[in-house]
Amino acid sequence: MANHPRSFRRNLLLKILAFSVPILLIGQGVALRKARSSLLKTSRQNLTSSAIRKAEELQTGIRSVEANLDLLAQTAAFQAGDEQAIEEILVEFDQDTPYVISCVELRGPQAEADTVNTCDRSIIPDAKQVPWLQSGSVESSDFYVFSPGQNAPTAPPNTSLNGEDREDRALIKFIVASPIYGEDGELRYTLAMEVCLFQLQDIGAQSLVGETVVIDPNDIIVTHPDPNQVGKNISELRDARKLSSTIGSVRAGNSDFVHLFRFLPQEGGEWLAGYSGFKVPVSPKQNNVWTVLAVTPIDRALYGLNEIRQVLVVLTIGLLAASTLLALYVARSLSLPIERLIRYTQDVDDLSQLKAAPHSSQIWELDYLGTVIERMLRRLEESSAELRHAWQDAQMANQLKNEFLANTSHELRTPLNGIIGSIHVIRDDLCDSRAEELEFLQQADKAAFHLLSIIEDILSIAKIEAGTLDVNITPVDLRHILQDVLDMQTLQFQKKGLQLIRPEFPEPVIIPVDHSRFKQVLLNVLSNAMKFTEEGSITISVTTDESIDKGDSPPELFLPPPPWVKITVKDSGIGIEPQHLSKLFKPFVMVDGSHTRPYEGTGLGLAISQNFMRLMQGDIAIRSDGAGKGTTVTIVVPRIVKEAARQSNPTQMADDGQSGERQATDEPASAVSADS
Ligand code: ADP
């Protein structure tokens, strides 16, 4: 199945969500873990402190019981064994204590000789556990604390203690026993009391006081949140191993915490317990350690975690919603400028009508991308325009080539026909006289020279196009070249009846040119002027950079650095339409390209002239105000001031003077007119 690429907007949105959702969820998980461990740490510390406090309270309570028991044992009623008085004392005593006495038993040395018992059961442990009943020679300060055993009722007879509410307090029941000796030192009674101490216990969901577990030195459970466990040995419990190692730690004097995983018989839930211990140092022989645990289910210890979890869930949902909105906003604000750029490139039908690329994204990179695309399109437009021009040029060149072939063959055939015709006339002895023969020979000669000049032009343009044309620059006097050219044209001027206005300048104008090529340029310009002018005049003027009136220069004419000289040939001929002017310097171009046109020519003269002039550091330009308004050709060429010319090349100047050509002299050129 084809996998369609998604839009940039959707891609961005999905990627932002794909990153942010797991990060948020992981963040939530980490925060919960952190909160859990921190809550656990606090719970452990609180439970450990609570266990220590509970142990201290119990120790203080037992000491108070011990003191009171001692006090009772000293009273006359107890000493004398006055049962009635003893009962009265006990009732009074019960009301004054900060603990509850649930049973008092006063028993004589013989088991059957009970004297007093305030409840319907015996609380004095059996003789095996009570040392003074075994030996009869124990010290008077003996005081023993026992756990009440499995069968003791759990509820105290009275739940009000000095008017205080005991509902939030744990009941811890002990049996304390002490011997009472008579004045004779003989054991008279064993006094045992079942006392209930109360302790703060954890009833609030968030309270970390914990419920109380007390384990006596014989590993018997004295207090437990599950009343069924009271009186059991810890070895009977599911968490026996953990509890016994905890008791070991307490006996080593430690207070710490422990996790109990099977604390209750019916539940498998985890409980957290802080533990501590206390000693009952009332008897040197009973110096064992009692273990106190402050226990709470782990759920209660982590009660705050639920609230944190709820807050985190709300926060995560909020953050998810916020990140989705943010992703939507970011995706939109990023994709809009990109979409605008796409539309911009899609809307480009015509490169020449190219608009500016959108630049309002406020994102530097995208604005820059727009600029680059616009620049690329403009370059494309430029190069396609160049290509168009090159294509037009190529088409034109092809057309010109065809025109050239037609023209040239016509131009070649005309003089050739003349030559052949003249030769045939002479060969067939058709002339009447020798003079007539000579005339035909002269015509053939003239036609042959014309043919030669056409062929030379073709060769020159071939050399120009091959880049192999070179010039031989020497200093020459412009006056002499001009004179030579005019001499060659005088006859035609006279034949056509044109007026030739030529400049007069007495001083030599020395120009560094290729003599024959420069003459060819002048000849071409003058013969064009004459060819395309049927009546009127041809005006030649010469100005230099030093002239007061330098004359107009066409803007396209490239003036060399001074000193220079400018030759202007102005005719009153047929003129040229402005749209044709720019292409006339291309080879083979004629304004009227047809070979049936009234003027002969190959269209090579101006192209050759421009190349020659540029090789000689000069230039040539053609101007016309339109058809019938005449034409002006301007030629410019560097000039050599006379002294510098002599200094730079005196021998050349001398040689030039000796050659057949007329070279730079001080003679002034004479004015020639077609009329003269
Ligand atoms: P040719 O004269 O052999 O055709 P040129 O390169 O010398 O070739 O001239 C190119 C064309 O420029 C001519 O065919 C003509 O159309 C135009 N031209 C040149 N000089 C003149 C002028 N003085 N007056 C009118 N048209 C001219």
Side-chain angles (χ1 to χ4, degrees):
M1 220 173 87
N3 196 6
H4 292 295
R6 282 191 293 261
S7 71
F8 172 75
R9 195 185 284 220
R10 182 177 287 200
N11 249 323
L12 196 65
L13 186 66
L14 287 178
K15 289 215 166 108
I16 290 174
L17 288 178
F19 274 102
S20 58
V21 171
I23 286 172
L24 281 174
L25 293 178
I26 290 170
Q28 189 191 10
V30 170
L32 268 176
R33 274 183 81 89
K34 193 82 199 147
R36 186 178 194 276
S37 71
S38 140
L39 279 174
L40 269 182
K41 196 174 166 192
T42 312
S43 304
R44 285 168 190 155
Q45 280 171 356
N46 285 344
L47 286 171
T48 307
S49 320
S50 175
I52 293 169
R53 211 169 47 247
K54 283 174 193 287
E56 283 170 358
E57 277 177 17
L58 285 175
Q59 194 169 31
T60 312
I62 287 170
R63 277 191 180 153
S64 154
V65 174
E66 182 196 4
N68 284 329
L69 209 64
D70 261 357
L71 218 65
L72 285 177
Q74 301 304 319
T75 56
F78 276 84
Q79 292 283 333
D82 180 350
E83 287 175 27
Q84 184 141 8
I86 288 171
E87 257 182 73
E88 280 169 17
I89 288 170
L90 286 179
V91 170
E92 207 173 305
F93 181 74
D94 189 17
Q95 285 167 1
D96 286 348
T97 54
Y99 43 84
V100 172
I101 300 170
S102 55
C103 191
V104 179
E105 186 175 358
L106 188 72
R107 191 193 287 171
Q110 300 308 316
E112 62 278 7
D114 281 355
T115 312
V116 181
N117 189 327
T118 59
C119 58
D120 54 358
R121 59 200 158 88
S122 172
I123 57 170
I124 295 175
D126 58 43
K128 277 184 258 160
Q129 290 183 53
V130 182
W132 61 85
L133 292 179
Q134 290 164 25
S135 63
S137 60
V138 287
E139 294 169 24
S140 59
S141 59
D142 278 352
F143 172 76
Y144 281 78
V145 180
F146 303 95
S147 42
Q150 212 162 4
N151 300 323
T154 49
N158 153 12
T159 53
S160 121
L161 176 65
N162 294 341
E164 285 177 31
D165 188 3
R166 294 177 185 160
E167 274 181 11
D168 55 350
R169 288 168 179 261
L171 170 73
I172 301 159
K173 216 183 263 183
F174 295 99
I175 290 172
V176 291
S178 181
I180 296 174
Y181 297 95
E183 284 165 357
D184 53 1
E186 283 298 310
L187 176 71
R188 289 198 72 139
Y189 300 105
T190 294
L191 175 62
M193 288 198 301
E194 193 179 68
V195 291
C196 297
L197 297 174
F198 292 88
Q199 270 206 331
L200 260 184
Q201 71 170 352
D202 188 4
I203 54 164
Q206 295 175 61
S207 163
L208 285 174
V209 174
E211 295 184 65
T212 310
V213 175
V214 179
I215 300 165
D216 80 359
N218 298 318
D219 296 347
I220 304 296
I221 294 172
V222 180
T223 312
H224 196 282
D226 176 11
N228 297 326
Q229 309 303 313
V230 173
K232 282 187 184 171
N233 191 293
I234 59 157
S235 59
E236 296 170 49
L237 301 184
R238 293 163 73 210
D239 253 339
R241 276 181 60 193
K242 213 154 202 185
L243 281 170
S244 86
S245 79
T246 303
I247 289 167
S249 174
V250 170
R251 285 175 188 161
N254 297 324
S255 297
D256 210 341
F257 66 90
V258 65
H259 283 251
L260 301 169
F261 294 94
R262 292 174 298 175
F263 179 66
L264 292 181
Q266 66 277 19
E267 290 169 32
E270 185 183 350
W271 284 61
L272 196 58
Y275 60 78
S276 186
F278 69 91
K279 288 179 179 175
V280 185
V282 290
S283 162
K285 288 185 181 172
Q286 198 191 24
N287 200 13
N288 291 326
V289 178
W290 291 62
T291 301
V292 180
L293 301 176
V295 294
T296 193
I298 193 91
D299 295 345
R300 203 175 295 177
L302 297 175
Y303 181 80
L305 200 61
N306 274 336
E307 278 176 26
I308 293 172
R309 191 178 284 127
Q310 281 165 13
V311 169
L312 278 176
V313 166
V314 171
L315 206 68
T316 307
I317 292 170
L319 281 173
L320 271 177
S323 66
T324 309
L325 285 176
L326 185 75
L328 277 170
Y329 174 75
V330 171
R332 186 175 176 276
S333 58
L334 276 181
S335 60
L336 265 184
I338 291 176
E339 285 161 11
R340 245 182 263 140
L341 273 180
I342 292 171
R343 269 200 301 282
Y344 169 72
T345 50
Q346 278 172 343
D347 291 349
V348 177
D349 291 329
D350 182 0
L351 280 175
S352 60
Q353 309 282 313
L354 191 67
K355 292 184 204 147
H359 277 106
S360 52
S361 70
Q362 296 187 333
I363 299 168
W364 177 83
E365 287 85 349
L366 290 179
D367 282 355
Y368 184 65
L369 183 64
T371 311
V372 171
I373 290 175
E374 187 187 330
R375 205 181 295 158
M376 263 168 52
L377 289 171
R378 291 203 187 282
R379 274 197 204 132
L380 201 65
E381 153 66 1
E382 278 165 25
S383 45
S384 68
E386 277 168 21
L387 273 177
R388 255 197 320 275
H389 288 142
W391 171 243
Q392 284 165 357
D393 284 355
Q395 275 185 322
M396 199 171 107
N398 195 35
Q399 190 193 335
L400 288 174
K401 184 199 75 188
N402 294 335
E403 284 175 10
F404 170 74
L405 283 175
N407 273 323
T408 310
S409 46
H410 173 76
E411 292 295 319
L412 292 173
R413 209 171 37 232
T414 311
L416 258 179
N417 282 340
I419 295 166
I420 293 165
S422 299
I423 291 170
H424 283 187
V425 169
I426 297 165
R427 186 195 64 187
D428 298 342
D429 214 5
L430 297 173
C431 294
D432 297 337
S433 64
R434 176 69 185 149
E436 199 179 350
E437 270 182 12
L438 278 175
E439 197 179 321
F440 274 107
L441 278 174
Q442 244 178 3
Q443 277 179 15
D445 183 59
K446 195 180 153 203
F449 268 106
H450 182 58
L451 200 60
L452 186 65
S453 78
I454 293 172
I455 291 165
E456 271 175 0
D457 273 1
I458 294 169
L459 285 174
S460 294
I461 206 77
K463 277 187 178 176
I464 286 165
E465 299 220 318
T468 55
L469 188 92
D470 29 59
V471 286
N472 178 26
I473 308 274
T474 52
V476 225
D477 189 344
L478 174 65
R479 294 175 308 168
H480 297 157
I481 300 181
L482 203 58
Q483 187 60 53
D484 284 352
V485 173
L486 288 173
D487 287 349
M488 291 163 81
Q489 301 285 320
T490 309
L491 217 62
Q492 280 94 322
F493 277 116
Q494 284 171 349
K495 267 189 194 167
K496 275 194 127 176
L498 296 171
Q499 188 192 6
L500 176 69
I501 302 164
R502 54 170 295 177
E504 285 192 22
F505 43 102
E507 293 293 317
V509 178
I510 311 300
I511 50 172
V513 291
D514 184 311
H515 183 265
S516 65
R517 300 209 192 280
F518 188 69
K519 203 158 99 179
Q520 198 180 329
V521 172
L522 280 182
L523 205 58
N524 179 52
V525 171
L526 270 172
S527 61
N528 271 351
M530 200 176 59
K531 186 163 67 178
F532 297 109
T533 308
E534 294 308 324
E535 57 181 18
S537 62
I538 293 168
T539 308
I540 302 169
S541 58
V542 173
T543 52
T544 68
D545 54 294
E546 288 169 353
S547 304
I548 298 164
D549 178 11
K550 295 185 181 66
D552 291 337
S553 286
E556 68 273 17
L557 185 77
F558 176 78
L559 281 175
W564 46 254
V565 60
K566 195 163 69 183
I567 305 118
T568 311
V569 179
K570 186 176 178 185
D571 64 52
S572 58
I574 61 168
I576 305 163
E577 291 289 353
Q579 71 268 22
H580 297 307
L581 284 171
S582 61
K583 57 187 183 190
L584 289 180
F585 287 104
K586 291 199 167 84
F588 314 124
V589 173
M590 294 172 284
V591 172
D592 174 10
S594 121
H595 65 273
T596 56
R597 69 193 195 126
Y599 306 99
E600 58 181 28
T602 53
L604 293 175
L606 285 178
I608 292 170
S609 298
Q610 189 183 54
N611 277 282
F612 283 176
M613 288 316 300
R614 287 189 177 166
L615 282 169
M616 292 183 271
Q617 314 304 318
D619 201 6
I620 181 169
I622 189 164
R623 291 271 103 195
S624 172
D625 289 335
K629 292 185 178 167
T631 304
T632 305
V633 176
T634 312
I635 296 166
V636 69
V637 70
R639 184 168 62 91
I640 301 176
V641 289
K642 199 174 140 198
E643 290 77 12
R646 285 218 170 114
Q647 277 167 19
S648 70
N649 202 349
T651 45
Q652 178 67 52
M653 300 278 285
D655 290 350
D656 288 346
Q658 284 159 14
S659 70
E661 298 282 344
R662 294 173 66 193
Q663 297 293 327
T665 70
D666 291 347
E667 281 175 36
S670 57
V672 178
S673 157
D675 304 330
S676 63

